[in-house]
Structure formats: C-alpha cells, structure tokens
Amino acid sequence: MTAPVTQAVRRRVTVRGTVQGVGFRPFVHRLATDLSLAGFVSNTASGVLIEVEGPPDRVAGFCDRLATQPPPLATVTGIGFEDLPVSGAGDTFTIRSTDRSPGRTLLPPDTATCADCLRELADPADRRHRHPFVTCTHCGPRFTIATGMPYDRAVTTMTGFPMCADCAREYGDPLDRRFHAQPVACPGCGPRLRLVPAAGSDVRPARDADALAAARALLAAGRIVAVKGLGGYHLACDATDARAVETLRTRKARGGKPFAVMCADLDAVRRVAVLSTPELAALTSPRRPIVLLRRRAGRAGLAPGVCPGSPHLGVMLPYTPVHTLLFGLPGDPPGPRVLVMTSGNRSGEPIVTDDDEALTRLAGLADAWLAHDRPISSPCDDSLLRVRPDGTEQVLRRSRGYVPRPLRLPLPVRPALAVGGDLKNALCLGEGDQAWFGPHIGDMGDLATLEAARRADAHMRCLTGVAPEVVAADRHPGYHSAKWAARQAGRAPVLVQHHHAHIASAMAEHGLDSTAPVIGVAFDGTGYGDDGTVWGGEILLADYNGFRRYAHLAPAPLPGGDAGVANPCRLALARLWAAGLPWDADLPSVTACTADELAVLRQQLARGVTCVATSSMGRLFDAVSSLASVCHRAGYEAQAALELEAAAAAAWDADASAYAFAGDLDPAPVLSALVADLRRGTPAAVLAARFHRAVARAVAEICRRARHDTGLAVVALSGGVFANALLEAECTRLLADDGFAVLRHGEVPPNDGGLALGQLVVAAHLRQEE
C-alpha cells in the first residue's frame, strides 16, 4: 500500500527586534536548508520577512526554532505568522535583496571582537592573520558604520571598500560565519592603518603592521598616541609611566579627574584592581564597557597621576582588533600592558571622529596618530558602569555597546524627541512603546557640542525612522539644550522640570504605567526649580502627569554660581552662614580661604549679591567635604563629593553612628555635630561616614512620613548624587527593610545622562492628555 503524501503548507513569518546586522538571515537560511524547506528570507525596514514552504511538521519546527534559538547578538521582540497558498515553485531557500520600503527595524550596538575572530587574528596560517579589521556576523561595528536603514553594506561606511573575490565568496556562502556580514573585509580589500607623526616630530610615518609596531614603540617610550577606535579617537599613553601620564594630563587640561585605562588582558586587570565575579562578567561582556573597579593598594605599578584621590579605577578590555594588536601578539616586541585610554578631545569638546579634524583638534595633545580610513558615521564614546554588591549593574554613561538598543516604554507615546540637559547630554527619541537613547554627547557649552547634538539627532532619526511631533527640553531658561531644541522644533518645546524628569526616568525604566504616583527622591547638583531657585535635594510625589514637592533640603546661598561650585570651601562657609554657625578660625574651610576671599564672601552673603538660593544635595556633599578637610578646591565635576564618598567607605564598617537632620531636611544639626566631632579630633573618614548615614536615615524617615500621609509605598531614587554607591546602598537597605519597593537605575544613568527619557515620557504623556 502506498504511503499518503504529506500536504505541504506555506507560511509568511515577520520577525521584529534586533534582527539585522546579527547574522539573522544566514541563520534563517541554514535552518530552512537543514529542514529541507523552500522559500526565501529578506530584510525589510520593519524587520525580517520570511516565506517558508514544506511539510507542516517541519514548518512548525522552523517557526519554533526561530524564537528559541536566534543568533547570539539577535533580540527577537515579536513574530507574526500568516498562512499563504502553497506556491509549489521551486525546492530551494534563498536570501533575497533588501526591501527598501518604509518602516522600522532595530540595529544592534557595536560589539567587541568575538573569540573566533581573535583566533584568526593570532593564527599565522589564517588569511586574516593580524588584520586590524577582522569581524564577522557575531561581532564588530554596527551603529558607528551605519548610515541608513535597512542595514546593508550599501548604507554603511564600508561601501567604499569593494569586496575581493575571497571575501565575496565568504559573504555569499550560507555555511560561512561571514555570510552577509556587512563589514566583512580582509588585508587585500579592507581599510588600512597608518601612523601619522605630529608636525616637527622625529617619528616616521608608517602603514599597516609597521604602523602598529611603531605606535607600540612610541607608547613604550612614554609618548602619547591618538588611536582611532570604533566611535572616535582615544588619547593613549603608558599608564605606568608617571611622566607620560602627567604630560597627557597637562596637555589635555584634565585637572585631577581620573583617567580610564585599557588592560591587555585579565591578568593585567588583576594586577591593578580587585575583580569580583559579576564585575568580570561586565568587563568581558560583548559591550566591553569601562567598569569601575576597586584599585589595588599601592596602585600596583600605576602612575600616581592615573586616578589621584580615588579608590576606584575605570578599567576596560580591548574591544577592537586594533586594540588587541596595539598590545601585541605573542612574539611581538613588548609594550605597555596597561594604557591610559581617554576620550580624544580637548576638555569640554565632543570626541573627535574625523581624521582631518583629529589632526587639527588633537594637535599639541598627541605625538602621533594611529588612524585608519574606515569612516565613523556617528561618534560613540565608551560606556561606563559600576557593579553593585548584589551583582546588579548601574550604568553611569550609556553609549558604545548600548546605543541604539531600544528601551521598552510602559505607555505608548507619540513620536517625540527629548534633548536632555546641558550636562552629560544624551538625546532620546521615542514612538509607540519604544525609546532610543543616542550616544553620550557631553556638556552642551560650545558650538562643537551643539553641532554634535545636531548630528546625533539626524543620525538617530535616520536609524529609527522617528519623525518627532513633540520636542521636550529642560525648564531652565538658560540651558543651551533647550534653546537648541526650540530651533530644531521650529516652535516652543514642551518644558519639563528637571527633577520631575529624573523621577519619570526611573519610573519608565522600571515599566511603571503611572496609575499611581511614587515617592521620588531626586538628589543632584543643580536643577531649575519652579520658584526660580536652584533645586537638587527634592522629595517629590510624582507621576507622568506632574509632581508635588513634598519635602526638600533647606536652602542655602550659592555664592558666585559656577565659581562657588569649584570652591567647596566657599560652599561650606555659605552652609555654616545659613545654619547660623560661626566661621571660627580653626575650621578647615576657613583656613582654606584667603583673607580676601573671606571678606568678599561675607559681603556677598550679607547683601545677597551674586547669590542664588539652592536646595542642592550635591552642593551639601561638596560643603561637607570641605568641612571634613577632604577637598577644598574641585578641579573637576563632583570631585569633592567623590572624595568624600571614598573617605566614608574607609570607615563604613568601623563606625555605624550617624548625624541627624532636623525637620524635613535641615542640615544645621548635622553641621553643628560635625564641627564638634572635628574639634574632638574625629578622623575625616568617620565624619564622612556619619554624614552619609545621616542623609540615608533622613530619606527613610521622610519616605515613611510620605507613606503615612499618602499610602504610597514605592520610592524612586534618581539624580547624580545616587551614583554614590554608599548612599544608594544605604538608602535602599533602610527603605527595603521598612517595606518600601525601591526603584534604582540600571541601564538608564541616574545622572543627567538619563534625563531625556523622563522628559520624553512626561512630554508625550502630557500632549496625549490634551
């Protein structure tokens, strides 16, 4: 008896998510071929389109494996199915050319070189041995080479590098790891390296392998080299060479701000820092961020100028083949194993990406440039994070490795652009249930940064397809970002109060739909308040519709604006003045000021000249840092607060006592008790620890009171002050022990780098309510 013939079926499958530039079409091709199914797969502007035909059981198995076994870098957010009439045409499965129809798909971030490519890089028998641009479908550049969507070689900066016959064969072979890998290239057809010496230098120009060897030799000789990476240039020097580090610090006008370092391998990391298992996972992830690690005692061979005054060290591993080759392969002449690797820019400017511009803007900073001819379509600085003791991550700068990965929104929004603030700027686009942060831009203070913001906006619009109908900005009347937003929109943007945006950002990251307000603790350095003063120590009752200021730090004068911020000793005296405490001559903050400073400051405070009231918790941390004789003059943003945290950490386990605020958040008793302890000879570390605990206990007490008054039991912690690991951990512990649900930032920075997400959801929500 003849066996019955199985009836074929045909199904159309649409796959949404991060499914382009990750080897998804090759994966689909291999899967269909393994199951002997016919049909095709194609990229579209909305995702990946598949039509598959064959026996019902095989088609069902194909659809199941699409969702459960995607390629390593793919993220599937949705799969749609539609049954079609059987065509009976052909018995093969093909990859079709990309559909250019309008729509939206998701592009993956740049990722670090994978293990397979690293093996090829080091294998003398491989044709990509020492190829500085080795990559495949599982690693390498994506965001920083894409010039449009859908993602294809023709819309990347690789379009100027026609594939040779060997690369074209790999690109077209469904069984090859480079099947439809858009950045594919080799030494014969890919980008080229070159070493460009500074004008008048004794350095000789070089190319390719000679350029790498020369750059390594320059670094070993104490020189500074500008190195072109994925998203821009770095300035590199030997992190163990004190003279080289100080030269770089002086040339870049870096002040005392710590440098990040790149270590050749994990052995080099462990020589300079303490590494936990969760920190190891973060450090070696495909994102390859800078991870804040606890520095080993004695700096373990690092030059003192790498991270002065900080117990932490920002560490990253090589994430491009150029970096790997710069450290050298086995058998290469030795070079530094730990390099300072800081953003290639002058202080206050955006990172440099263009080669000609690099030669101009980094002139006087670098002794040579290790450049290449693959253009960078979008600047993308290194991401920065810390790992909490519980293993969760807190991203402090969200850029390379994260951008343009979307965030899921708890509520659908109209197409919108939020421009963030003037510090740590990052733009955010949103539409429907998704939001896309752009790369870190920096501080909006000059034309170069505003131009970088314009380019970032244009690039993100191109990649996401969002055409904003709503533009949101900070309410501060003097912010460059708000004025730029108005020019971009051609109309007045929706203005969102700074601290409301911080709390809304935390709510959105945690998926709250705003059916109930939260108790929002927004602590930062500065934010324009509704009363025209500087806020920053706020307890808000907030949802996406609005907020009520439930409590706040008692205000004090901020003398001299930015000049005051750079001088914590002046902030300390202003706080003592507001608390009615005398400026006794034995106080460290008094002795740190000159006689002229004291005279001018007394006049300013008495007359209210060039003084604005501030409730900023960040400024209180600065003031206490000076009162405790930790930091009187700040050479970079948050230096005084960071050094106060470091001091507190040294005494945290040895002293569990705390000072106490009065009323809502009146620091007068804290300051009085601290001065008394100071005169008793109490160590600065103990003073710092008692102050940190005082702030945390005051937060817990006010939140308890707010819960009693309102019934709310969810607390959101946001603002740059919560980058302070000790404070965030202690607030979280006290609140959780008291039954609160605590929202802490993870992938969205707590500082102003996360501000745009809050602006986006507030502005879009308000417009929908109109």
Side-chain angles (χ1 to χ4, degrees), residues 10 12-13 28 32 37-42 49-53 62 84 92-96:
R10 187 175 186 88
R12 176 177 292 153
V13 185
V28 170
L37 299 173
F40 69 87
V41 59
S42 174
L49 173 67
I50 307 164
E51 288 192 13
V52 63
E53 185 172 314
F62 171 88
L84 301 173
T92 60
F93 194 91
T94 62
I95 292 181
R96 289 188 177 178

Side-chain angles (χ1 to χ4, degrees), residues 89-169:
D91 58 0
T92 60
F93 194 91
T94 62
I95 292 181
R96 289 188 177 178
S97 59
T98 296
D99 174 11
R100 299 286 171 191
S101 60
R104 176 179 297 126
T105 190
L106 305 180
L107 181 73
D110 295 358
T111 53
T113 315
C114 69
D116 288 332
C117 285
L118 287 174
R119 278 193 292 271
E120 293 173 341
L121 188 71
D123 182 2
D126 193 278
R127 75 186 191 92
R128 290 189 174 84
H129 180 227
R130 295 186 179 274
H131 177 47
F133 306 95
V134 60
T135 185
C136 69
T137 54
H138 300 151
C139 68
R142 298 296 190 273
F143 173 72
T144 54
I145 64 170
T147 57
M149 291 296 285
Y151 180 71
D152 225 338
R153 193 177 182 98
V155 286
T156 72
T157 61
M158 287 298 294
T159 190
F161 301 93
M163 285 182 279
C164 66
D166 289 336
C167 286
R169 185 166 51 252

Side-chain angles (χ1 to χ4, degrees), residues 410-625:
L411 294 169
V413 299
R414 290 171 55 190
L417 164 68
V419 303
D422 270 18
L423 301 179
K424 298 180 174 63
N425 184 270
L427 310 177
C428 189
L429 286 165
E431 183 174 359
D433 64 350
Q434 291 182 319
W436 293 266
F437 269 107
H440 168 80
I441 294 171
D443 296 350
M444 305 276 276
D446 57 33
L447 290 176
T449 314
L450 292 172
E451 175 59 18
R454 186 198 64 78
R455 292 198 304 266
D457 177 33
H459 192 231
M460 291 301 295
R461 291 191 195 204
C462 177
L463 297 185
T464 63
V466 175
E469 299 171 7
V470 178
V471 176
D474 194 274
R475 196 172 287 175
H476 195 299
Y479 267 10
H480 298 285
S481 54
K483 295 174 183 177
W484 176 80
R487 292 194 297 271
Q488 290 294 100
R491 60 184 182 277
V494 178
L495 300 180
V496 181
Q497 199 279 328
H498 190 90
H499 302 96
H500 184 201
H502 270 309
I503 301 306
S505 174
M507 294 172 63
E509 182 179 6
H510 284 272
L512 270 65
D513 61 7
S514 201
T515 53
V518 302
I519 303 169
V521 183
F523 287 172
D524 63 4
T526 183
Y528 188 74
D530 284 353
D531 58 2
T533 66
V534 177
W535 290 6
E538 314 306 311
I539 312 289
L540 310 178
L541 307 179
D543 57 19
Y544 299 135
N545 286 309
F547 70 93
R548 177 165 70 88
R549 197 182 188 198
Y550 181 80
H552 59 84
L553 183 68
L558 177 61
D562 290 342
V565 174
N567 293 278
C569 53
R570 299 181 193 174
L571 300 177
L573 297 181
R575 268 290 168 191
L576 292 176
W577 184 86
L581 298 174
W583 294 1
D584 294 329
D586 63 329
L587 294 179
S589 302
V590 174
T591 58
C593 292
T594 66
D596 287 344
E597 271 185 294
L598 292 173
V600 170
L601 190 57
R602 286 186 190 279
Q603 288 186 353
Q604 283 181 303
L605 294 173
R607 300 176 182 177
V609 176
T610 65
C611 288
V612 61
T614 180
S615 60
S616 166
M617 184 60 74
R619 298 291 80 83
L620 179 62
F621 269 77
D622 293 344
V624 170
S625 185

Side-chain angles (χ1 to χ4, degrees), residues 32 46 149 220 321-322 350 365 372 402 424 437 439-440 442 477 540 561 670 710 725:
S46 299
M149 291 296 285
V322 170
L365 300 183
H372 59 75
Y402 290 90
K424 298 180 174 63
F437 269 107
H440 168 80
L540 310 178
V670 172
T710 65

Side-chain angles (χ1 to χ4, degrees), residues 179-501:
F179 184 44
H180 281 253
Q182 308 309 333
V184 66
C186 73
C189 65
R192 306 288 295 273
L193 279 175
R194 67 187 188 279
L195 185 78
V196 181
S201 169
D202 58 350
V203 179
R204 296 175 62 86
R207 287 193 171 275
D208 301 322
D210 291 339
L212 281 159
R216 190 183 317 117
L218 286 171
L219 292 167
R223 301 291 189 90
I224 297 165
V225 179
V227 181
K228 187 177 181 181
L230 284 179
Y233 277 83
H234 287 102
L235 291 168
C237 73
D238 183 353
T240 67
D241 186 328
R243 180 176 295 178
V245 171
E246 286 309 313
T247 298
L248 177 56
R249 188 172 290 284
T250 300
R251 289 182 184 179
K252 198 176 175 183
R254 178 83 173 186
K257 188 175 183 180
F259 283 126
V261 300
M262 179 179 283
C263 293
D265 50 34
L266 288 174
D267 286 341
V269 174
R270 291 188 173 99
R271 283 195 292 272
V272 298
V274 179
L275 188 62
S276 69
T277 299
E279 288 167 340
L280 172 65
L283 196 66
T284 58
S285 75
R287 297 188 300 269
R288 286 293 198 281
I290 299 171
V291 181
L292 285 177
L293 303 177
R294 188 156 51 88
R295 194 182 64 200
R296 285 205 177 276
R299 296 188 177 89
L302 288 179
V306 171
C307 49
S310 173
H312 294 99
L313 179 66
V315 178
M316 58 181 157
L317 290 170
Y319 55 85
T320 73
V322 170
H323 294 136
T324 300
L325 293 170
L326 186 61
F327 282 108
L329 296 179
D332 284 342
R337 306 302 289 168
V338 183
L339 294 173
V340 167
M341 197 69 78
T342 188
S343 298
N345 56 7
R346 292 186 180 274
S347 182
E349 294 183 354
I351 189 171
V352 178
T353 59
D354 179 77
D355 297 335
D356 291 337
E357 191 178 2
L359 293 174
T360 301
R361 286 175 56 191
L362 302 183
L365 300 183
D367 297 310
W369 287 255
L370 183 62
H372 59 75
D373 55 357
R374 184 180 67 200
I376 296 171
S377 66
S378 175
C380 201
D381 220 327
D382 297 312
S383 294
L384 170 68
L385 62 82
R386 68 177 178 90
V387 181
R388 300 181 177 101
D390 63 4
T392 60
E393 296 178 1
Q394 183 190 58
V395 174
L396 300 173
R397 183 169 70 207
R398 188 183 190 275
S399 202
R400 179 186 51 76
Y402 290 90
V403 175
R405 190 172 75 186
L407 297 161
R408 182 77 63 179
L409 294 175
L411 294 169
V413 299
R414 290 171 55 190
L417 164 68
V419 303
D422 270 18
L423 301 179
K424 298 180 174 63
N425 184 270
L427 310 177
C428 189
L429 286 165
E431 183 174 359
D433 64 350
Q434 291 182 319
W436 293 266
F437 269 107
H440 168 80
I441 294 171
D443 296 350
M444 305 276 276
D446 57 33
L447 290 176
T449 314
L450 292 172
E451 175 59 18
R454 186 198 64 78
R455 292 198 304 266
D457 177 33
H459 192 231
M460 291 301 295
R461 291 191 195 204
C462 177
L463 297 185
T464 63
V466 175
E469 299 171 7
V470 178
V471 176
D474 194 274
R475 196 172 287 175
H476 195 299
Y479 267 10
H480 298 285
S481 54
K483 295 174 183 177
W484 176 80
R487 292 194 297 271
Q488 290 294 100
R491 60 184 182 277
V494 178
L495 300 180
V496 181
Q497 199 279 328
H498 190 90
H499 302 96
H500 184 201

